[in-house]
Short mmCIF file of all heavy atoms in Angstrom, two decimals:
data_model
loop_
_atom_site.label_atom_id
_atom_site.label_comp_id
_atom_site.label_asym_id
_atom_site.label_seq_id
_atom_site.Cartn_x
_atom_site.Cartn_y
_atom_site.Cartn_z
N VAL H 1286 0.74 11.01 14.94
CA VAL H 1286 1.80 9.99 14.68
C VAL H 1286 1.97 9.76 13.20
O VAL H 1286 1.01 9.49 12.49
CB VAL H 1286 1.42 8.67 15.37
CG1 VAL H 1286 2.52 7.65 15.09
CG2 VAL H 1286 1.29 8.94 16.89
N ASP H 1287 3.25 9.96 12.70
CA ASP H 1287 3.50 9.72 11.27
C ASP H 1287 3.39 8.28 11.01
O ASP H 1287 4.22 7.48 11.58
CB ASP H 1287 4.90 10.32 11.00
CG ASP H 1287 5.22 10.32 9.45
OD1 ASP H 1287 4.68 9.39 8.72
OD2 ASP H 1287 5.99 11.13 8.98
N VAL H 1288 2.52 7.91 10.16
CA VAL H 1288 2.31 6.46 9.89
C VAL H 1288 2.61 6.17 8.41
O VAL H 1288 2.13 5.18 7.87
CB VAL H 1288 0.86 5.95 10.28
CG1 VAL H 1288 0.64 6.04 11.70
CG2 VAL H 1288 -0.17 6.77 9.54
N SER H 1289 3.41 7.03 7.76
CA SER H 1289 3.72 6.86 6.37
C SER H 1289 4.24 5.49 6.07
O SER H 1289 4.02 4.93 5.00
CB SER H 1289 4.64 7.99 5.94
OG SER H 1289 4.13 9.26 6.18
N SER H 1290 4.99 4.96 6.97
CA SER H 1290 5.72 3.67 6.69
C SER H 1290 4.81 2.43 6.92
O SER H 1290 5.15 1.31 6.63
CB SER H 1290 6.96 3.55 7.57
OG SER H 1290 6.60 3.47 8.90
N THR H 1291 3.63 2.66 7.58
CA THR H 1291 2.74 1.65 7.91
C THR H 1291 1.36 1.77 7.33
O THR H 1291 0.38 1.02 7.71
CB THR H 1291 2.58 1.46 9.46
OG1 THR H 1291 2.16 2.67 10.05
CG2 THR H 1291 3.92 1.06 10.06
N VAL H 1292 1.17 2.69 6.40
CA VAL H 1292 -0.15 2.84 5.77
C VAL H 1292 -0.60 1.57 5.08
O VAL H 1292 -1.80 1.22 5.17
CB VAL H 1292 -0.09 4.05 4.76
CG1 VAL H 1292 -1.28 4.02 3.88
CG2 VAL H 1292 0.02 5.39 5.45
N ASP H 1293 0.31 0.95 4.32
CA ASP H 1293 -0.15 -0.28 3.64
C ASP H 1293 -0.56 -1.39 4.61
O ASP H 1293 -1.54 -2.14 4.31
CB ASP H 1293 1.00 -0.77 2.74
CG ASP H 1293 1.21 0.13 1.57
OD1 ASP H 1293 0.26 0.90 1.24
OD2 ASP H 1293 2.30 0.11 0.90
N VAL H 1294 0.07 -1.51 5.75
CA VAL H 1294 -0.31 -2.41 6.77
C VAL H 1294 -1.71 -2.10 7.31
O VAL H 1294 -2.56 -2.98 7.43
CB VAL H 1294 0.63 -2.48 7.95
CG1 VAL H 1294 0.20 -3.44 9.01
CG2 VAL H 1294 2.08 -2.89 7.43
N LYS H 1295 -1.91 -0.82 7.64
CA LYS H 1295 -3.18 -0.32 8.07
C LYS H 1295 -4.28 -0.76 7.15
O LYS H 1295 -5.36 -1.27 7.48
CB LYS H 1295 -3.15 1.17 8.37
CG LYS H 1295 -4.49 1.72 8.76
CD LYS H 1295 -4.35 3.29 8.87
CE LYS H 1295 -5.67 3.94 9.27
NZ LYS H 1295 -5.99 3.79 10.72
N LEU H 1296 -4.11 -0.36 5.84
CA LEU H 1296 -5.12 -0.69 4.85
C LEU H 1296 -5.32 -2.13 4.64
O LEU H 1296 -6.50 -2.54 4.38
CB LEU H 1296 -4.74 0.10 3.53
CG LEU H 1296 -4.85 1.59 3.61
CD1 LEU H 1296 -4.19 2.21 2.39
CD2 LEU H 1296 -6.25 2.06 3.69
N ALA H 1297 -4.25 -2.85 4.68
CA ALA H 1297 -4.48 -4.36 4.53
C ALA H 1297 -5.31 -4.84 5.70
O ALA H 1297 -6.11 -5.78 5.52
CB ALA H 1297 -3.11 -5.04 4.55
N ALA H 1298 -5.13 -4.36 6.93
CA ALA H 1298 -5.90 -4.78 8.04
C ALA H 1298 -7.37 -4.42 7.87
O ALA H 1298 -8.32 -5.18 8.22
CB ALA H 1298 -5.36 -4.20 9.34
N ILE H 1299 -7.59 -3.18 7.36
CA ILE H 1299 -8.98 -2.74 7.12
C ILE H 1299 -9.71 -3.56 6.09
O ILE H 1299 -10.87 -3.92 6.22
CB ILE H 1299 -9.03 -1.22 6.75
CG1 ILE H 1299 -8.63 -0.38 7.94
CG2 ILE H 1299 -10.39 -0.83 6.26
CD1 ILE H 1299 -8.36 1.15 7.57
N ARG H 1300 -8.95 -3.94 5.04
CA ARG H 1300 -9.54 -4.64 4.01
C ARG H 1300 -9.99 -6.11 4.37
O ARG H 1300 -10.83 -6.71 3.81
CB ARG H 1300 -8.54 -4.75 2.78
CG ARG H 1300 -8.36 -3.42 2.09
CD ARG H 1300 -7.29 -3.54 0.96
NE ARG H 1300 -7.78 -4.25 -0.17
CZ ARG H 1300 -8.32 -3.57 -1.22
NH1 ARG H 1300 -8.47 -2.28 -1.26
NH2 ARG H 1300 -8.74 -4.26 -2.26
N VAL H 1301 -9.35 -6.60 5.44
CA VAL H 1301 -9.75 -7.89 6.00
C VAL H 1301 -11.14 -7.87 6.41
O VAL H 1301 -11.89 -8.84 6.32
CB VAL H 1301 -8.90 -8.38 7.11
CG1 VAL H 1301 -9.34 -9.59 7.85
CG2 VAL H 1301 -7.46 -8.58 6.67
N HIS H 1302 -11.68 -6.72 6.87
CA HIS H 1302 -13.05 -6.59 7.31
C HIS H 1302 -13.96 -6.38 6.13
O HIS H 1302 -14.87 -5.50 6.06
CB HIS H 1302 -13.21 -5.39 8.31
CG HIS H 1302 -12.32 -5.53 9.49
ND1 HIS H 1302 -12.63 -6.27 10.57
CD2 HIS H 1302 -11.11 -4.96 9.75
CE1 HIS H 1302 -11.69 -6.12 11.50
NE2 HIS H 1302 -10.71 -5.37 11.04
N ALA H 1303 -13.88 -7.26 5.17
CA ALA H 1303 -14.67 -7.14 3.87
C ALA H 1303 -16.13 -7.24 4.09
O ALA H 1303 -16.90 -6.68 3.32
CB ALA H 1303 -14.15 -8.23 2.91
N SER H 1304 -16.58 -7.87 5.14
CA SER H 1304 -17.95 -7.98 5.36
C SER H 1304 -18.64 -6.70 5.66
O SER H 1304 -19.89 -6.55 5.59
CB SER H 1304 -18.24 -9.04 6.55
OG SER H 1304 -17.78 -8.49 7.77
N GLN H 1305 -17.90 -5.70 6.10
CA GLN H 1305 -18.42 -4.39 6.41
C GLN H 1305 -18.27 -3.31 5.41
O GLN H 1305 -18.72 -2.27 5.54
CB GLN H 1305 -17.67 -3.90 7.70
CG GLN H 1305 -17.63 -4.92 8.88
CD GLN H 1305 -19.09 -5.44 9.18
OE1 GLN H 1305 -19.93 -4.68 9.53
NE2 GLN H 1305 -19.27 -6.66 9.09
N HIS H 1306 -17.55 -3.68 4.24
CA HIS H 1306 -17.26 -2.59 3.29
C HIS H 1306 -17.55 -3.09 1.89
O HIS H 1306 -16.74 -3.78 1.26
CB HIS H 1306 -15.77 -2.22 3.46
CG HIS H 1306 -15.35 -1.87 4.80
ND1 HIS H 1306 -15.85 -0.79 5.49
CD2 HIS H 1306 -14.58 -2.55 5.77
CE1 HIS H 1306 -15.38 -0.77 6.74
NE2 HIS H 1306 -14.62 -1.81 6.89
N PRO H 1307 -18.69 -2.69 1.39
CA PRO H 1307 -19.06 -3.09 0.03
C PRO H 1307 -18.12 -2.55 -1.07
O PRO H 1307 -18.13 -3.03 -2.24
CB PRO H 1307 -20.48 -2.71 -0.11
CG PRO H 1307 -20.63 -1.56 0.86
CD PRO H 1307 -19.77 -1.86 1.97
N ASP H 1308 -17.51 -1.43 -0.88
CA ASP H 1308 -16.67 -0.75 -1.80
C ASP H 1308 -15.25 -0.56 -1.26
O ASP H 1308 -14.89 0.45 -0.70
CB ASP H 1308 -17.24 0.63 -2.16
CG ASP H 1308 -16.43 1.42 -3.21
OD1 ASP H 1308 -15.41 0.83 -3.72
OD2 ASP H 1308 -16.69 2.56 -3.49
N LEU H 1309 -14.48 -1.70 -1.34
CA LEU H 1309 -13.10 -1.69 -0.73
C LEU H 1309 -12.25 -0.63 -1.34
O LEU H 1309 -11.39 0.03 -0.64
CB LEU H 1309 -12.51 -3.04 -0.82
CG LEU H 1309 -13.11 -4.08 0.10
CD1 LEU H 1309 -12.52 -5.49 -0.26
CD2 LEU H 1309 -12.92 -3.74 1.59
N GLU H 1310 -12.33 -0.44 -2.72
CA GLU H 1310 -11.48 0.50 -3.34
C GLU H 1310 -11.80 1.96 -2.95
O GLU H 1310 -10.88 2.80 -2.72
CB GLU H 1310 -11.57 0.35 -4.92
CG GLU H 1310 -11.11 -1.03 -5.42
CD GLU H 1310 -9.76 -1.42 -4.92
OE1 GLU H 1310 -8.83 -0.56 -4.92
OE2 GLU H 1310 -9.56 -2.57 -4.58
N GLY H 1311 -13.09 2.22 -2.84
CA GLY H 1311 -13.52 3.57 -2.44
C GLY H 1311 -13.05 3.79 -0.97
O GLY H 1311 -12.63 4.91 -0.57
N MET H 1312 -13.19 2.78 -0.12
CA MET H 1312 -12.73 2.87 1.32
C MET H 1312 -11.26 3.09 1.35
O MET H 1312 -10.78 4.03 2.12
CB MET H 1312 -13.15 1.56 2.07
CG MET H 1312 -12.68 1.53 3.46
SD MET H 1312 -10.97 1.01 3.65
CE MET H 1312 -11.05 -0.62 2.90
N ASP H 1313 -10.48 2.40 0.52
CA ASP H 1313 -9.06 2.60 0.53
C ASP H 1313 -8.65 4.00 0.19
O ASP H 1313 -7.85 4.63 0.92
CB ASP H 1313 -8.46 1.62 -0.49
CG ASP H 1313 -6.95 1.54 -0.46
OD1 ASP H 1313 -6.30 2.50 -0.73
OD2 ASP H 1313 -6.41 0.39 -0.10
N ALA H 1314 -9.25 4.55 -0.81
CA ALA H 1314 -8.94 5.90 -1.29
C ALA H 1314 -9.33 6.96 -0.19
O ALA H 1314 -8.59 7.95 0.07
CB ALA H 1314 -9.68 6.22 -2.60
N SER H 1315 -10.45 6.76 0.42
CA SER H 1315 -10.93 7.61 1.47
C SER H 1315 -10.03 7.63 2.67
O SER H 1315 -9.68 8.72 3.22
CB SER H 1315 -12.34 7.28 1.88
OG SER H 1315 -13.29 7.47 0.79
N VAL H 1316 -9.58 6.52 3.05
CA VAL H 1316 -8.62 6.42 4.20
C VAL H 1316 -7.34 7.10 3.90
O VAL H 1316 -6.73 7.84 4.70
CB VAL H 1316 -8.50 4.95 4.70
CG1 VAL H 1316 -7.37 4.88 5.69
CG2 VAL H 1316 -9.72 4.39 5.23
N ARG H 1317 -6.86 6.87 2.71
CA ARG H 1317 -5.55 7.51 2.36
C ARG H 1317 -5.72 9.04 2.36
O ARG H 1317 -4.82 9.77 2.91
CB ARG H 1317 -5.12 7.06 0.93
CG ARG H 1317 -4.62 5.65 0.89
CD ARG H 1317 -4.15 5.25 -0.58
NE ARG H 1317 -3.76 3.86 -0.64
CZ ARG H 1317 -2.57 3.35 -0.24
NH1 ARG H 1317 -1.65 4.17 0.18
NH2 ARG H 1317 -2.31 2.07 -0.43
N ARG H 1318 -6.77 9.60 1.87
CA ARG H 1318 -7.02 11.02 1.86
C ARG H 1318 -7.09 11.53 3.26
O ARG H 1318 -6.56 12.66 3.63
CB ARG H 1318 -8.29 11.37 1.05
CG ARG H 1318 -8.12 11.28 -0.42
CD ARG H 1318 -9.30 11.95 -1.12
NE ARG H 1318 -10.56 11.44 -0.77
CZ ARG H 1318 -11.18 10.42 -1.42
NH1 ARG H 1318 -10.61 9.86 -2.42
NH2 ARG H 1318 -12.34 9.97 -0.96
N PHE H 1319 -7.80 10.86 4.16
CA PHE H 1319 -8.05 11.18 5.50
C PHE H 1319 -6.70 11.27 6.24
O PHE H 1319 -6.47 12.28 6.98
CB PHE H 1319 -9.03 10.21 6.20
CG PHE H 1319 -9.40 10.58 7.61
CD1 PHE H 1319 -10.25 11.63 7.79
CD2 PHE H 1319 -8.88 9.87 8.64
CE1 PHE H 1319 -10.65 11.95 9.05
CE2 PHE H 1319 -9.28 10.22 9.97
CZ PHE H 1319 -10.21 11.30 10.18
N LEU H 1320 -5.86 10.28 6.06
CA LEU H 1320 -4.52 10.23 6.72
C LEU H 1320 -3.60 11.34 6.25
O LEU H 1320 -2.84 12.00 7.06
CB LEU H 1320 -3.89 8.86 6.49
CG LEU H 1320 -4.57 7.68 7.08
CD1 LEU H 1320 -3.86 6.40 6.67
CD2 LEU H 1320 -4.69 7.80 8.59
N GLN H 1321 -3.65 11.67 4.97
CA GLN H 1321 -2.83 12.70 4.40
C GLN H 1321 -3.34 14.13 4.90
O GLN H 1321 -2.51 15.00 5.18
CB GLN H 1321 -2.88 12.72 2.90
CG GLN H 1321 -2.09 11.51 2.38
CD GLN H 1321 -2.17 11.28 0.93
OE1 GLN H 1321 -2.98 11.96 0.22
NE2 GLN H 1321 -1.60 10.16 0.42
N ASP H 1322 -4.68 14.23 5.05
CA ASP H 1322 -5.25 15.52 5.61
C ASP H 1322 -4.80 15.63 7.05
O ASP H 1322 -4.45 16.74 7.48
CB ASP H 1322 -6.76 15.46 5.49
CG ASP H 1322 -7.37 16.75 6.12
OD1 ASP H 1322 -7.11 17.83 5.56
OD2 ASP H 1322 -8.09 16.57 7.09
N ASN H 1323 -4.83 14.53 7.81
CA ASN H 1323 -4.26 14.59 9.18
C ASN H 1323 -2.86 15.19 9.25
O ASN H 1323 -2.47 16.08 10.02
CB ASN H 1323 -4.32 13.28 9.85
CG ASN H 1323 -5.71 12.75 10.21
OD1 ASN H 1323 -6.58 13.54 10.28
ND2 ASN H 1323 -5.84 11.48 10.42
#
């Protein structure tokens, strides 16, 4: 599913779970790369 138009929404939702992610910027970059590879 092409989610190019909703990537920022997805990442904003993930960032809400800050208690689980000590490196939010690294997580953000990794997710973007993963989605582009898909």
Side-chain angles (χ1 to χ4, degrees):
V1286 177
D1287 190 329
V1288 296
S1289 303
S1290 65
T1291 55
V1292 168
D1293 289 342
V1294 176
K1295 175 185 179 76
L1296 290 169
I1299 292 173
R1300 291 175 76 93
V1301 171
H1302 301 279
S1304 67
Q1305 308 306 301
H1306 307 294
D1308 181 7
L1309 288 173
E1310 298 308 317
M1312 177 275 301
D1313 190 295
S1315 294
V1316 171
R1317 288 184 186 275
R1318 286 194 302 270
F1319 187 73
L1320 296 174
Q1321 290 169 1
D1322 178 63
N1323 285 343

